[in-house]
Amino acid sequence: MAVTQAKFDEGMKRLQASLDKILAEQKSFSVSIVALQDEVRKISAENANLQDEAKKLRNDLEQEKLRNNDLESRLLEIEVRERRLNLIVHGLPAEKHNQSVTSNVMSLLSDKLQVTEDISLTKCYRLKRNSSSNITSRKTSVRPAPVFISLETNRSIQSILSEVNKLKGSGIRICSDLPP
């Protein structure tokens, strides 16, 4: 029986050692679980902060979009206001040797359009063309560059535009310089 008691005690010791090992591992797991729970809380708090920040950024972006649209609208209004007194003349033949662009335009206005109002040009010049846009036709003649004219009054613009129908068939076109 002494052998059996010794074997029993030995088994109990091994069982106790295994139980102690399991309890130690359980404590370790408990510590790990607590650490993980703390980490999850931190991550949840960071996530909430990031969501708040993202919401704020979305609101800021919407405000900036509205501001951008407002600025674009204002810019277009300014551009229209600045360009409302401008006209572009397409197809006006090139100036002769001692003729200026201004005199060529004034001749067009008085002779072809028969504008009777006193027209005062504030700017008048030929626009530059890209080398690729100087297209030669079959007759090997280069189309002249358009002419930019700026007038002093809206009334002058209306006087000219009301007479453009007289240019039909001449190859000359006059149009406003307003943005699209």
Side-chain angles (χ1 to χ4, degrees):
M1 198 166 215
V3 174
T4 319
Q5 184 66 32
K7 282 186 178 180
F8 177 75
D9 287 343
E10 172 93 13
M12 283 302 284
K13 281 183 185 177
R14 277 187 292 177
L15 194 58
Q16 187 62 41
S18 294
L19 185 58
D20 289 344
K21 186 178 176 185
I22 290 172
L23 288 173
E25 286 177 359
Q26 183 183 7
K27 275 186 180 179
S28 173
F29 287 146
S30 293
V31 169
S32 294
I33 287 173
V34 168
L36 286 173
Q37 287 173 336
D38 287 344
E39 192 66 29
V40 167
R41 276 190 223 102
K42 287 178 188 175
I43 290 172
S44 293
E46 286 178 21
N47 185 29
N49 288 340
L50 288 174
Q51 285 180 353
D52 290 343
E53 192 174 323
K55 185 177 180 181
K56 183 183 177 294
L57 288 173
R58 279 192 294 275
N59 288 338
D60 289 349
L61 179 62
E62 283 302 315
Q63 291 299 317
E64 289 302 317
K65 282 181 181 178
L66 291 172
R67 185 171 173 258
N68 186 39
N69 288 342
D70 183 48
L71 290 174
E72 283 178 353
S73 175
R74 287 182 189 182
L75 182 62
L76 183 61
E77 287 174 18
I78 290 169
E79 190 175 357
V80 166
R81 199 174 317 125
E82 287 178 357
R83 294 170 69 176
R84 69 182 167 79
L85 296 177
N86 300 341
L87 294 174
I88 305 290
V89 182
H90 297 273
L92 184 65
E95 293 71 39
K96 296 181 175 104
H97 295 292
N98 57 357
Q99 185 182 29
S100 70
V101 177
T102 303
S103 63
N104 196 6
V105 169
M106 293 307 283
S107 173
L108 169 74
L109 297 177
S110 62
D111 297 345
K112 290 194 178 180
L113 292 180
Q114 299 168 344
V115 175
T116 56
E117 181 184 326
D118 184 30
I119 302 290
S120 179
L121 303 176
T122 57
K123 294 179 187 173
C124 182
Y125 55 88
R126 283 213 180 259
L127 299 172
K128 295 190 180 198
R129 286 189 176 269
N130 296 336
S131 59
S132 63
S133 66
N134 278 339
I135 301 169
T136 26
S137 67
R138 293 180 201 158
K139 298 177 184 176
T140 67
S141 64
V142 177
R143 290 187 304 181
V147 175
F148 172 87
I149 60 175
S150 184
L151 297 116
E152 285 187 355
T153 66
N154 193 42
R155 192 167 135 198
S156 298
I157 295 278
Q158 296 309 317
S159 295
I160 293 169
L161 291 177
S162 67
E163 301 295 332
V164 294
N165 59 344
K166 294 178 181 175
L167 294 174
K168 275 191 179 175
S170 69
I172 298 173
R173 290 184 306 117
I174 299 177
C175 56
S176 297
D177 183 34
L178 295 176

